[in-house]
PDB file of all heavy atoms in Angstrom:
ATOM      1  N   ARG F 709      -3.699   3.725  -4.550  1.00  0.00           N
ATOM      2  CA  ARG F 709      -2.902   3.716  -5.787  1.00  0.00           C
ATOM      3  C   ARG F 709      -1.674   4.601  -5.630  1.00  0.00           C
ATOM      4  O   ARG F 709      -1.725   5.652  -4.996  1.00  0.00           O
ATOM      5  CB  ARG F 709      -3.754   4.215  -6.952  1.00  0.00           C
ATOM      6  CG  ARG F 709      -4.927   3.319  -7.243  1.00  0.00           C
ATOM      7  CD  ARG F 709      -5.781   3.756  -8.402  1.00  0.00           C
ATOM      8  NE  ARG F 709      -5.326   4.961  -9.073  1.00  0.00           N
ATOM      9  CZ  ARG F 709      -6.129   5.750  -9.776  1.00  0.00           C
ATOM     10  NH1 ARG F 709      -7.409   5.475  -9.881  1.00  0.00           N
ATOM     11  NH2 ARG F 709      -5.667   6.821 -10.377  1.00  0.00           N
ATOM     12  N   VAL F 710      -0.584   4.179  -6.232  1.00  0.00           N
ATOM     13  CA  VAL F 710       0.668   4.911  -6.126  1.00  0.00           C
ATOM     14  C   VAL F 710       0.578   6.289  -6.771  1.00  0.00           C
ATOM     15  O   VAL F 710       1.168   7.248  -6.274  1.00  0.00           O
ATOM     16  CB  VAL F 710       1.851   4.080  -6.677  1.00  0.00           C
ATOM     17  CG1 VAL F 710       1.771   3.961  -8.194  1.00  0.00           C
ATOM     18  CG2 VAL F 710       3.179   4.658  -6.245  1.00  0.00           C
ATOM     19  N   ASP F 711      -0.184   6.431  -7.851  1.00  0.00           N
ATOM     20  CA  ASP F 711      -0.298   7.738  -8.495  1.00  0.00           C
ATOM     21  C   ASP F 711      -1.032   8.737  -7.594  1.00  0.00           C
ATOM     22  O   ASP F 711      -0.710   9.920  -7.588  1.00  0.00           O
ATOM     23  CB  ASP F 711      -0.962   7.639  -9.867  1.00  0.00           C
ATOM     24  CG  ASP F 711      -2.374   7.085  -9.831  1.00  0.00           C
ATOM     25  OD1 ASP F 711      -2.654   6.188  -9.004  1.00  0.00           O
ATOM     26  OD2 ASP F 711      -3.201   7.533 -10.637  1.00  0.00           O
ATOM     27  N   GLU F 712      -1.980   8.264  -6.798  1.00  0.00           N
ATOM     28  CA  GLU F 712      -2.662   9.135  -5.845  1.00  0.00           C
ATOM     29  C   GLU F 712      -1.707   9.583  -4.740  1.00  0.00           C
ATOM     30  O   GLU F 712      -1.703  10.750  -4.347  1.00  0.00           O
ATOM     31  CB  GLU F 712      -3.851   8.413  -5.211  1.00  0.00           C
ATOM     32  CG  GLU F 712      -4.966   8.086  -6.169  1.00  0.00           C
ATOM     33  CD  GLU F 712      -6.030   7.199  -5.548  1.00  0.00           C
ATOM     34  OE1 GLU F 712      -5.731   6.494  -4.550  1.00  0.00           O
ATOM     35  OE2 GLU F 712      -7.156   7.196  -6.054  1.00  0.00           O
ATOM     36  N   ALA F 713      -0.912   8.659  -4.241  1.00  0.00           N
ATOM     37  CA  ALA F 713       0.061   8.986  -3.200  1.00  0.00           C
ATOM     38  C   ALA F 713       1.090   9.984  -3.713  1.00  0.00           C
ATOM     39  O   ALA F 713       1.413  10.970  -3.040  1.00  0.00           O
ATOM     40  CB  ALA F 713       0.756   7.712  -2.698  1.00  0.00           C
ATOM     41  N   TYR F 714       1.587   9.763  -4.909  1.00  0.00           N
ATOM     42  CA  TYR F 714       2.594  10.652  -5.491  1.00  0.00           C
ATOM     43  C   TYR F 714       2.009  12.045  -5.715  1.00  0.00           C
ATOM     44  O   TYR F 714       2.670  13.055  -5.427  1.00  0.00           O
ATOM     45  CB  TYR F 714       3.120  10.068  -6.800  1.00  0.00           C
ATOM     46  CG  TYR F 714       4.223  10.880  -7.414  1.00  0.00           C
ATOM     47  CD1 TYR F 714       5.502  10.864  -6.875  1.00  0.00           C
ATOM     48  CD2 TYR F 714       3.983  11.675  -8.530  1.00  0.00           C
ATOM     49  CE1 TYR F 714       6.521  11.620  -7.430  1.00  0.00           C
ATOM     50  CE2 TYR F 714       4.988  12.439  -9.094  1.00  0.00           C
ATOM     51  CZ  TYR F 714       6.259  12.402  -8.537  1.00  0.00           C
ATOM     52  OH  TYR F 714       7.260  13.157  -9.090  1.00  0.00           O
ATOM     53  N   ALA F 715       0.773  12.116  -6.184  1.00  0.00           N
ATOM     54  CA  ALA F 715       0.128  13.419  -6.402  1.00  0.00           C
ATOM     55  C   ALA F 715      -0.032  14.172  -5.080  1.00  0.00           C
ATOM     56  O   ALA F 715       0.206  15.387  -5.015  1.00  0.00           O
ATOM     57  CB  ALA F 715      -1.225  13.235  -7.086  1.00  0.00           C
ATOM     58  N   MET F 716      -0.410  13.465  -4.028  1.00  0.00           N
ATOM     59  CA  MET F 716      -0.561  14.116  -2.720  1.00  0.00           C
ATOM     60  C   MET F 716       0.797  14.550  -2.181  1.00  0.00           C
ATOM     61  O   MET F 716       0.918  15.633  -1.594  1.00  0.00           O
ATOM     62  CB  MET F 716      -1.261  13.180  -1.737  1.00  0.00           C
ATOM     63  CG  MET F 716      -1.587  13.844  -0.430  1.00  0.00           C
ATOM     64  SD  MET F 716      -2.681  15.271  -0.672  1.00  0.00           S
ATOM     65  CE  MET F 716      -3.106  15.647   1.001  1.00  0.00           C
TER      66      MET F 716
END
Side-chain angles (χ1 to χ4, degrees):
R709 296 181 1 204
V710 71
D711 61 324
E712 294 172 338
Y714 184 74
M716 187 60 170

